[in-house]
Protein backbone atom coordinates (compact mmCIF):
# COMPACT_ATOMS: atom_id res chain seq x y z
CA UNK A 1 0.00 0.00 0.00
CA UNK A 2 1.56 3.33 -1.05
CA UNK A 3 1.59 6.44 1.10
CA UNK A 4 -1.38 8.16 -0.60
CA UNK A 5 -3.50 5.02 -0.32
CA UNK A 6 -2.57 4.72 3.35
CA UNK A 7 -3.73 8.29 3.92
CA UNK A 8 -6.97 7.69 2.04
CA UNK A 9 -7.60 4.56 4.12
CA UNK A 10 -6.94 6.53 7.29
CA UNK A 11 -9.52 9.13 6.24
CA UNK A 12 -12.07 6.40 5.61
CA UNK A 13 -11.36 4.83 9.00
CA UNK A 14 -11.88 8.20 10.68
CA UNK A 15 -15.25 8.49 8.99
CA UNK A 16 -16.26 5.06 10.21
CA UNK A 17 -15.09 5.86 13.72
CA UNK A 18 -17.51 8.77 13.80
CA UNK A 19 -20.27 6.18 14.21
CA UNK A 20 -18.95 5.47 17.72
CA UNK A 21 -18.10 2.36 19.76
CA UNK A 22 -21.63 0.98 19.58
CA UNK A 23 -21.23 0.52 15.82
CA UNK A 24 -17.94 -1.34 16.33
CA UNK A 25 -19.65 -3.65 18.81
CA UNK A 26 -22.47 -4.39 16.34
CA UNK A 27 -19.96 -5.25 13.63
CA UNK A 28 -18.47 -7.92 15.87
CA UNK A 29 -21.83 -9.62 16.38
CA UNK A 30 -23.08 -12.42 14.10
CA UNK A 31 -25.45 -11.40 11.34
CA UNK A 32 -28.46 -13.11 9.86
CA UNK A 33 -29.65 -12.80 6.25
CA UNK A 34 -32.59 -10.43 5.75
CA UNK A 35 -36.04 -11.80 5.10
CA UNK A 36 -36.63 -11.54 1.37
CA UNK A 37 -40.01 -13.27 1.41
CA UNK A 38 -42.13 -10.13 1.67
CA UNK A 39 -42.03 -6.35 1.70
CA UNK A 40 -42.25 -4.31 4.91
CA UNK A 41 -45.72 -3.48 6.13
CA UNK A 42 -46.29 0.06 4.79
CA UNK A 43 -47.00 2.81 7.31
CA UNK A 44 -49.64 4.28 4.98
CA UNK A 45 -52.41 1.88 3.97
CA UNK A 46 -53.44 2.28 0.35
CA UNK A 47 -55.16 -0.33 -1.83
CA UNK A 48 -54.27 1.41 -5.07
CA UNK A 49 -51.61 -0.06 -7.35
CA UNK A 50 -48.14 1.38 -6.65
CA UNK A 51 -47.91 2.80 -10.17
CA UNK A 52 -51.42 4.31 -10.08
CA UNK A 53 -50.91 7.91 -11.33
CA UNK A 54 -53.38 9.21 -8.74
CA UNK A 55 -51.47 7.52 -5.91
CA UNK A 56 -48.18 8.95 -7.12
CA UNK A 57 -49.78 12.39 -7.51
CA UNK A 58 -51.06 12.26 -3.93
CA UNK A 59 -47.58 11.32 -2.67
CA UNK A 60 -46.01 14.13 -4.67
CA UNK A 61 -48.49 16.71 -3.36
CA UNK A 62 -47.78 15.62 0.21
CA UNK A 63 -44.05 15.84 -0.46
CA UNK A 64 -44.47 19.44 -1.65
CA UNK A 65 -46.06 20.33 1.70
CA UNK A 66 -43.32 18.56 3.63
CA UNK A 67 -40.43 20.16 1.76
CA UNK A 68 -41.91 23.64 2.03
CA UNK A 69 -42.49 23.15 5.75
CA UNK A 70 -38.95 21.88 6.36
CA UNK A 71 -37.00 24.61 4.60
CA UNK A 72 -34.88 26.27 7.28
CA UNK A 73 -32.27 28.82 8.24
CA UNK A 74 -29.67 26.79 10.11
CA UNK A 75 -27.78 29.86 11.28
CA UNK A 76 -30.84 31.39 12.96
CA UNK A 77 -32.50 28.15 14.12
CA UNK A 78 -35.92 28.58 15.71
CA UNK A 79 -35.59 32.37 15.49
CA UNK A 80 -35.43 32.36 11.70
CA UNK A 81 -37.75 34.67 9.81
CA UNK A 82 -39.86 32.99 7.10
CA UNK A 83 -38.16 34.98 4.33
CA UNK A 84 -34.76 33.68 5.49
CA UNK A 85 -35.62 29.99 5.42
CA UNK A 86 -33.54 29.01 2.44
CA UNK A 87 -31.94 25.57 2.89
CA UNK A 88 -32.55 21.86 3.30
CA UNK A 89 -29.23 20.70 4.82
CA UNK A 90 -28.28 17.06 4.44
CA UNK A 91 -27.27 15.64 7.81
CA UNK A 92 -24.93 12.69 8.39
CA UNK A 93 -22.45 11.63 11.04
CA UNK A 94 -19.68 13.78 9.57
CA UNK A 95 -19.10 17.19 11.17
CA UNK A 96 -16.67 20.09 10.77
CA UNK A 97 -16.12 21.86 14.08
CA UNK A 98 -19.19 19.99 15.32
CA UNK A 99 -21.32 21.59 12.59
CA UNK A 100 -22.97 20.17 9.47
CA UNK A 101 -20.43 21.00 6.74
CA UNK A 102 -21.36 23.62 4.16
CA UNK A 103 -20.95 21.09 1.35
CA UNK A 104 -23.79 19.02 2.83
CA UNK A 105 -25.90 22.13 3.32
CA UNK A 106 -25.51 23.23 -0.30
CA UNK A 107 -25.86 19.71 -1.67
CA UNK A 108 -29.00 18.90 0.29
CA UNK A 109 -30.55 22.24 -0.63
CA UNK A 110 -29.85 21.72 -4.32
CA UNK A 111 -31.42 18.24 -4.33
CA UNK A 112 -34.60 19.37 -2.56
CA UNK A 113 -34.90 22.40 -4.84
CA UNK A 114 -34.48 20.13 -7.88
CA UNK A 115 -37.32 17.97 -6.59
CA UNK A 116 -39.61 20.99 -6.17
CA UNK A 117 -38.74 22.09 -9.69
CA UNK A 118 -39.55 18.68 -11.19
CA UNK A 119 -42.88 18.24 -9.43
CA UNK A 120 -45.80 18.96 -11.79
CA UNK A 121 -47.33 22.44 -11.62
CA UNK A 122 -44.20 24.31 -10.58
CA UNK A 123 -44.84 27.15 -13.05
CA UNK A 124 -48.15 27.92 -11.30
CA UNK A 125 -47.03 27.38 -7.68
CA UNK A 126 -45.89 30.66 -6.15
CA UNK A 127 -44.87 29.08 -2.84
CA UNK A 128 -42.57 26.63 -4.55
CA UNK A 129 -41.08 29.33 -6.73
CA UNK A 130 -40.37 31.49 -3.69
CA UNK A 131 -38.78 28.56 -1.85
CA UNK A 132 -36.55 27.79 -4.85
CA UNK A 133 -35.61 31.46 -5.17
CA UNK A 134 -34.44 31.45 -1.55
CA UNK A 135 -32.50 28.25 -2.23
CA UNK A 136 -30.78 29.86 -5.21
CA UNK A 137 -29.77 32.77 -3.00
CA UNK A 138 -28.42 30.43 -0.32
CA UNK A 139 -26.41 28.39 -2.83
CA UNK A 140 -24.95 31.45 -4.53
CA UNK A 141 -23.96 32.96 -1.19
CA UNK A 142 -22.46 29.63 -0.16
CA UNK A 143 -19.85 29.98 -2.91
CA UNK A 144 -18.11 32.54 -0.68
CA UNK A 145 -17.76 30.17 2.27
CA UNK A 146 -14.08 29.40 3.01
CA UNK A 147 -14.79 25.66 3.13
CA UNK A 148 -16.18 25.76 -0.41
CA UNK A 149 -12.98 27.16 -1.92
CA UNK A 150 -11.40 24.87 -4.52
CA UNK A 151 -8.11 26.75 -4.19
CA UNK A 152 -7.92 26.10 -0.44
CA UNK A 153 -9.01 22.47 -0.73
CA UNK A 154 -6.39 20.11 0.71
CA UNK A 155 -8.02 16.68 0.35
CA UNK A 156 -8.54 14.18 3.19
CA UNK A 157 -12.20 13.63 4.22
CA UNK A 158 -14.06 16.58 2.72
CA UNK A 159 -17.57 16.86 1.27
CA UNK A 160 -17.43 20.21 -0.54
CA UNK A 161 -17.49 18.25 -3.79
CA UNK A 162 -21.10 17.28 -3.17
CA UNK A 163 -21.87 21.00 -2.98
CA UNK A 164 -20.23 21.58 -6.38
CA UNK A 165 -21.95 18.62 -8.05
CA UNK A 166 -25.48 19.04 -6.69
CA UNK A 167 -25.48 22.82 -7.13
CA UNK A 168 -24.28 22.47 -10.72
CA UNK A 169 -26.91 19.88 -11.65
CA UNK A 170 -29.72 21.92 -10.05
CA UNK A 171 -28.78 25.28 -11.56
CA UNK A 172 -28.31 23.80 -15.02
CA UNK A 173 -31.79 22.27 -14.83
CA UNK A 174 -33.23 25.54 -13.54
CA UNK A 175 -31.67 27.37 -16.47
CA UNK A 176 -32.73 24.78 -19.06
CA UNK A 177 -36.31 24.98 -17.77
CA UNK A 178 -36.21 28.79 -18.04
CA UNK A 179 -37.17 28.91 -14.37
CA UNK A 180 -34.51 31.24 -12.98
CA UNK A 181 -36.28 33.47 -10.40
CA UNK A 182 -37.19 36.97 -11.48
CA UNK A 183 -36.14 38.35 -8.09
CA UNK A 184 -33.67 39.49 -7.03
CA UNK A 185 -32.77 41.30 -10.21
CA UNK A 186 -29.31 39.78 -10.30
CA UNK A 187 -30.62 36.20 -9.96
CA UNK A 188 -29.65 35.28 -13.52
CA UNK A 189 -26.14 36.61 -12.98
CA UNK A 190 -25.87 34.70 -9.70
CA UNK A 191 -26.93 31.48 -11.39
CA UNK A 192 -24.43 31.98 -14.21
CA UNK A 193 -21.57 32.76 -11.85
CA UNK A 194 -22.40 29.83 -9.60
CA UNK A 195 -22.54 27.39 -12.52
CA UNK A 196 -19.06 28.47 -13.62
CA UNK A 197 -17.82 28.37 -10.01
CA UNK A 198 -19.08 24.79 -9.62
CA UNK A 199 -17.48 23.61 -12.86
CA UNK A 200 -14.22 25.22 -11.81
CA UNK A 201 -14.41 23.62 -8.35
CA UNK A 202 -15.08 20.17 -9.80
CA UNK A 203 -12.19 20.40 -12.23
CA UNK A 204 -9.74 21.73 -9.64
CA UNK A 205 -10.57 18.94 -7.18
CA UNK A 206 -10.13 16.12 -9.68
CA UNK A 207 -7.93 13.32 -8.33
CA UNK A 208 -4.54 13.77 -10.04
CA UNK A 209 -3.34 11.05 -12.44
CA UNK A 210 -6.17 8.69 -11.47
CA UNK A 211 -9.11 10.92 -12.43
CA UNK A 212 -12.56 11.13 -10.90
CA UNK A 213 -13.53 12.30 -7.43
CA UNK A 214 -13.75 11.02 -3.87
CA UNK A 215 -14.77 12.69 -0.60
CA UNK A 216 -12.35 10.39 1.32
CA UNK A 217 -8.89 10.62 -0.21
CA UNK A 218 -5.29 11.52 0.35
CA UNK A 219 -3.74 14.97 -0.08
CA UNK A 220 -5.07 17.00 -2.99
CA UNK A 221 -1.91 16.75 -5.09
CA UNK A 222 -1.39 12.99 -4.71
CA UNK A 223 -3.17 10.10 -6.47
CA UNK A 224 -5.94 8.40 -4.50
CA UNK A 225 -8.67 5.86 -5.30
CA UNK A 226 -11.70 7.28 -7.13
CA UNK A 227 -15.22 6.70 -5.77
CA UNK A 228 -17.91 5.60 -8.26
CA UNK A 229 -20.50 6.84 -5.72
CA UNK A 230 -19.27 10.40 -6.26
CA UNK A 231 -17.72 10.22 -9.74
CA UNK A 232 -20.93 9.10 -11.48
CA UNK A 233 -23.19 12.00 -10.40
CA UNK A 234 -20.36 14.50 -10.97
CA UNK A 235 -19.85 13.28 -14.52
CA UNK A 236 -23.58 13.52 -15.23
CA UNK A 237 -23.53 17.16 -14.13
CA UNK A 238 -20.49 17.86 -16.35
CA UNK A 239 -22.15 16.17 -19.33
CA UNK A 240 -25.11 18.54 -18.95
CA UNK A 241 -22.84 21.56 -18.51
CA UNK A 242 -21.03 20.67 -21.72
CA UNK A 243 -24.33 20.11 -23.51
CA UNK A 244 -25.45 23.60 -22.52
CA UNK A 245 -22.28 25.09 -23.98
CA UNK A 246 -20.12 25.63 -20.91
CA UNK A 247 -16.37 25.16 -21.13
CA UNK A 248 -15.61 21.74 -19.67
CA UNK A 249 -12.25 20.04 -20.13
CA UNK A 250 -12.79 16.83 -22.10
CA UNK A 251 -9.61 15.42 -20.58
CA UNK A 252 -11.09 15.73 -17.06
CA UNK A 253 -14.20 13.88 -18.20
CA UNK A 254 -12.22 11.16 -19.99
CA UNK A 255 -9.97 10.53 -17.00
CA UNK A 256 -13.03 10.29 -14.75
CA UNK A 257 -14.71 7.85 -17.14
CA UNK A 258 -11.55 5.73 -17.15
CA UNK A 259 -11.54 5.79 -13.35
CA UNK A 260 -15.22 4.82 -13.21
CA UNK A 261 -14.64 1.98 -15.65
CA UNK A 262 -11.77 0.66 -13.52
CA UNK A 263 -14.21 0.37 -10.62
CA UNK A 264 -16.26 -2.19 -12.58
CA UNK A 265 -15.54 -5.81 -11.63
CA UNK A 266 -15.77 -8.96 -13.73
CA UNK A 267 -18.94 -9.88 -11.80
CA UNK A 268 -20.65 -6.60 -12.73
CA UNK A 269 -20.25 -5.16 -9.24
CA UNK A 270 -18.40 -1.87 -8.65
CA UNK A 271 -15.73 -1.56 -5.97
CA UNK A 272 -16.06 1.13 -3.33
CA UNK A 273 -13.00 2.92 -4.74
CA UNK A 274 -10.29 2.07 -7.28
CA UNK A 275 -6.94 3.63 -8.16
CA UNK A 276 -4.85 2.44 -11.11
CA UNK A 277 -5.09 -1.35 -11.20
CA UNK A 278 -8.14 -3.03 -12.65
CA UNK A 279 -10.31 -4.43 -9.84
CA UNK A 280 -11.66 -7.31 -11.95
CA UNK A 281 -9.51 -9.85 -10.09
CA UNK A 282 -10.79 -8.75 -6.66
CA UNK A 283 -14.53 -8.13 -7.12
CA UNK A 284 -16.67 -6.87 -4.28
CA UNK A 285 -19.98 -8.66 -3.56
CA UNK A 286 -22.89 -7.53 -5.73
CA UNK A 287 -25.16 -7.26 -2.66
CA UNK A 288 -23.13 -4.37 -1.28
CA UNK A 289 -22.59 -2.71 -4.64
CA UNK A 290 -26.00 -2.25 -6.24
CA UNK A 291 -26.14 1.53 -5.82
CA UNK A 292 -22.67 1.92 -7.32
CA UNK A 293 -23.54 -0.50 -10.13
CA UNK A 294 -26.56 1.55 -11.13
CA UNK A 295 -24.92 4.98 -11.17
CA UNK A 296 -21.81 3.46 -12.76
CA UNK A 297 -23.56 1.76 -15.66
CA UNK A 298 -25.94 4.67 -16.28
CA UNK A 299 -23.08 7.17 -16.42
CA UNK A 300 -20.83 4.98 -18.52
CA UNK A 301 -23.68 4.32 -20.95
CA UNK A 302 -24.10 8.06 -21.51
CA UNK A 303 -20.53 8.06 -22.82
CA UNK A 304 -20.88 4.90 -24.90
CA UNK A 305 -19.06 2.69 -22.39
CA UNK A 306 -21.93 0.47 -21.27
CA UNK A 307 -24.85 -1.30 -22.91
CA UNK A 308 -28.40 -2.45 -22.29
CA UNK A 309 -27.36 -5.84 -20.91
CA UNK A 310 -25.17 -4.23 -18.23
CA UNK A 311 -27.86 -1.70 -17.34
CA UNK A 312 -30.50 -4.41 -17.09
CA UNK A 313 -28.11 -6.51 -15.01
CA UNK A 314 -27.64 -3.62 -12.57
CA UNK A 315 -31.42 -3.12 -12.31
CA UNK A 316 -32.03 -6.80 -11.65
CA UNK A 317 -29.22 -6.86 -9.08
CA UNK A 318 -30.92 -3.97 -7.27
CA UNK A 319 -34.25 -5.77 -7.01
CA UNK A 320 -32.64 -9.09 -6.10
CA UNK A 321 -30.53 -7.59 -3.31
CA UNK A 322 -32.96 -4.91 -2.13
CA UNK A 323 -33.45 -6.59 1.24
CA UNK A 324 -29.78 -6.05 2.04
CA UNK A 325 -30.24 -2.32 1.46
CA UNK A 326 -33.35 -2.36 3.63
CA UNK A 327 -31.43 -4.01 6.46
CA UNK A 328 -29.24 -0.90 6.75
CA UNK A 329 -31.95 1.72 6.15
CA UNK A 330 -32.33 4.25 8.98
CA UNK A 331 -29.78 2.48 11.15
CA UNK A 332 -26.95 4.06 13.18
CA UNK A 333 -23.39 3.96 11.89
CA UNK A 334 -22.18 3.87 8.33
CA UNK A 335 -20.48 0.95 6.54
CA UNK A 336 -21.48 -2.17 8.46
CA UNK A 337 -21.30 -5.89 7.65
CA UNK A 338 -21.74 -8.20 6.08
CA UNK A 339 -21.65 -6.09 2.90
CA UNK A 340 -20.57 -2.75 4.41
CA UNK A 341 -23.71 -0.97 3.22
CA UNK A 342 -24.16 2.55 4.57
CA UNK A 343 -27.72 3.83 5.19
CA UNK A 344 -27.21 6.70 2.75
CA UNK A 345 -27.00 4.24 -0.15
CA UNK A 346 -30.70 3.42 0.25
CA UNK A 347 -32.53 6.23 -1.57
CA UNK A 348 -29.43 6.96 -3.63
CA UNK A 349 -29.80 3.44 -5.10
CA UNK A 350 -33.54 3.92 -5.75
CA UNK A 351 -32.89 7.19 -7.60
CA UNK A 352 -30.31 5.64 -9.92
CA UNK A 353 -32.44 2.53 -10.39
CA UNK A 354 -35.12 4.90 -11.71
CA UNK A 355 -32.57 6.49 -14.05
CA UNK A 356 -31.45 3.09 -15.30
CA UNK A 357 -35.01 1.95 -16.00
CA UNK A 358 -35.57 4.95 -18.28
CA UNK A 359 -32.45 4.05 -20.30
CA UNK A 360 -33.90 0.71 -21.41
CA UNK A 361 -34.84 0.68 -25.11
CA UNK A 362 -38.18 2.22 -25.91
CA UNK A 363 -39.21 -0.43 -28.44
CA UNK A 364 -39.80 -3.98 -27.28
CA UNK A 365 -38.85 -3.11 -23.68
CA UNK A 366 -41.83 -0.84 -23.09
CA UNK A 367 -43.60 -3.47 -21.01
CA UNK A 368 -40.39 -4.27 -19.17
CA UNK A 369 -39.90 -0.63 -18.31
CA UNK A 370 -43.50 -0.35 -17.08
CA UNK A 371 -43.05 -3.41 -14.84
CA UNK A 372 -39.74 -2.14 -13.45
CA UNK A 373 -41.37 1.20 -12.66
CA UNK A 374 -44.20 -0.58 -10.86
CA UNK A 375 -41.80 -2.65 -8.78
CA UNK A 376 -39.71 0.40 -7.88
CA UNK A 377 -42.83 2.32 -6.82
CA UNK A 378 -43.96 -0.68 -4.76
CA UNK A 379 -40.65 -0.71 -2.90
CA UNK A 380 -40.75 3.04 -2.29
CA UNK A 381 -44.29 3.01 -0.98
CA UNK A 382 -43.46 0.06 1.31
CA UNK A 383 -40.98 2.28 3.20
CA UNK A 384 -42.87 5.58 3.10
CA UNK A 385 -43.28 7.00 6.59
CA UNK A 386 -46.57 7.75 8.29
CA UNK A 387 -46.31 11.50 7.61
CA UNK A 388 -45.75 10.86 3.88
CA UNK A 389 -41.98 11.41 3.93
CA UNK A 390 -39.04 9.11 3.27
CA UNK A 391 -35.84 8.98 5.33
CA UNK A 392 -32.91 6.56 5.27
CA UNK A 393 -30.98 8.10 8.19
CA UNK A 394 -31.49 8.38 11.94
CA UNK A 395 -31.55 12.18 11.62
CA UNK A 396 -35.06 13.71 11.23
CA UNK A 397 -33.65 16.59 9.18
CA UNK A 398 -32.50 14.23 6.43
CA UNK A 399 -36.10 13.40 5.52
CA UNK A 400 -35.88 16.32 3.06
CA UNK A 401 -33.13 14.46 1.19
CA UNK A 402 -34.88 11.08 1.37
CA UNK A 403 -38.22 12.51 0.29
CA UNK A 404 -36.62 14.37 -2.61
CA UNK A 405 -34.75 11.31 -3.88
CA UNK A 406 -37.80 9.04 -3.53
CA UNK A 407 -40.15 11.47 -5.26
CA UNK A 408 -37.69 12.14 -8.09
CA UNK A 409 -37.47 8.37 -8.50
CA UNK A 410 -41.25 8.15 -8.86
CA UNK A 411 -41.23 11.05 -11.33
CA UNK A 412 -38.25 9.84 -13.36
CA UNK A 413 -40.34 8.97 -16.48
CA UNK A 414 -41.03 12.70 -16.91
CA UNK A 415 -37.57 13.94 -15.87
CA UNK A 416 -35.37 15.84 -18.34
CA UNK A 417 -33.39 13.47 -20.59
CA UNK A 418 -29.84 12.83 -19.46
CA UNK A 419 -27.07 14.51 -21.43
CA UNK A 420 -24.63 12.30 -23.30
CA UNK A 421 -20.92 12.79 -23.81
CA UNK A 422 -18.77 12.46 -26.91
CA UNK A 423 -15.19 13.79 -26.81
CA UNK A 424 -14.72 16.98 -28.82
CA UNK A 425 -18.42 17.10 -29.75
CA UNK A 426 -19.81 20.57 -30.42
CA UNK A 427 -22.10 21.82 -27.62
CA UNK A 428 -25.78 22.17 -28.45
CA UNK A 429 -27.33 24.54 -25.87
CA UNK A 430 -30.85 24.18 -27.28
CA UNK A 431 -30.79 20.39 -27.51
CA UNK A 432 -33.33 19.29 -24.91
Amino acid sequence: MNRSTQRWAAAAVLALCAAGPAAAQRRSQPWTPPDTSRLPEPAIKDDRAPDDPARIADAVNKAVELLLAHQEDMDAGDKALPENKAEWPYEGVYRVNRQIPIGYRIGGTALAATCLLRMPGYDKDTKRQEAVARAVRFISEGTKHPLMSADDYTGSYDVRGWGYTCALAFLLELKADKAIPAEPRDAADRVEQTIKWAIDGIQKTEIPTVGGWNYARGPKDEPSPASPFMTGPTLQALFEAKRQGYAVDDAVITRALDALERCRCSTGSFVYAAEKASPSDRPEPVAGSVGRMLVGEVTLSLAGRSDVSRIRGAIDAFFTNWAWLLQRKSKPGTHEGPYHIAPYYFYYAHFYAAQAIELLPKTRSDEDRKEYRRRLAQLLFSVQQEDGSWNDRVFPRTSAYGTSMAVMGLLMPSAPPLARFSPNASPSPQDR
Side-chain angles (χ1 to χ4, degrees), residues 63-74 84-91 100-117 119 122 127-139 166 170 396-404:
V64 170
E65 294 177 15
L66 291 167
L67 289 178
L68 292 179
H70 291 160
Q71 194 174 28
E72 63 179 291
D73 177 358
M74 268 195 65
N84 293 332
K85 293 183 177 182
E87 60 177 308
W88 293 275
Y90 176 85
E91 184 172 7
I100 295 176
I102 185 65
Y104 275 172
R105 293 170 65 182
I106 292 175
T109 298
L111 287 170
T114 303
C115 184
L116 288 177
L117 180 65
M119 291 168 171
Y122 176 81
K127 289 184 178 179
R128 265 193 279 170
Q129 293 169 13
E130 291 172 347
V132 168
R134 293 193 297 271
V136 169
R137 184 192 70 209
F138 171 76
I139 292 169
C166 298
F170 161 58
R397 173 182 275 123
T398 310
S399 67
Y401 162 82
T403 300
S404 298

Side-chain angles (χ1 to χ4, degrees), residues 1 12 27 39 44 61 68 104 116 142 235 242 304 352:
M1 183 182 290
R27 282 194 291 275
L39 295 177
I44 298 176
N61 290 336
L68 292 179
Y104 275 172
L116 288 177
L235 277 170
K242 187 173 175 65
Y352 288 102

Side-chain angles (χ1 to χ4, degrees), residues 76 94 97 254 388 426:
Y94 177 59
N97 297 324
T254 299
S426 300

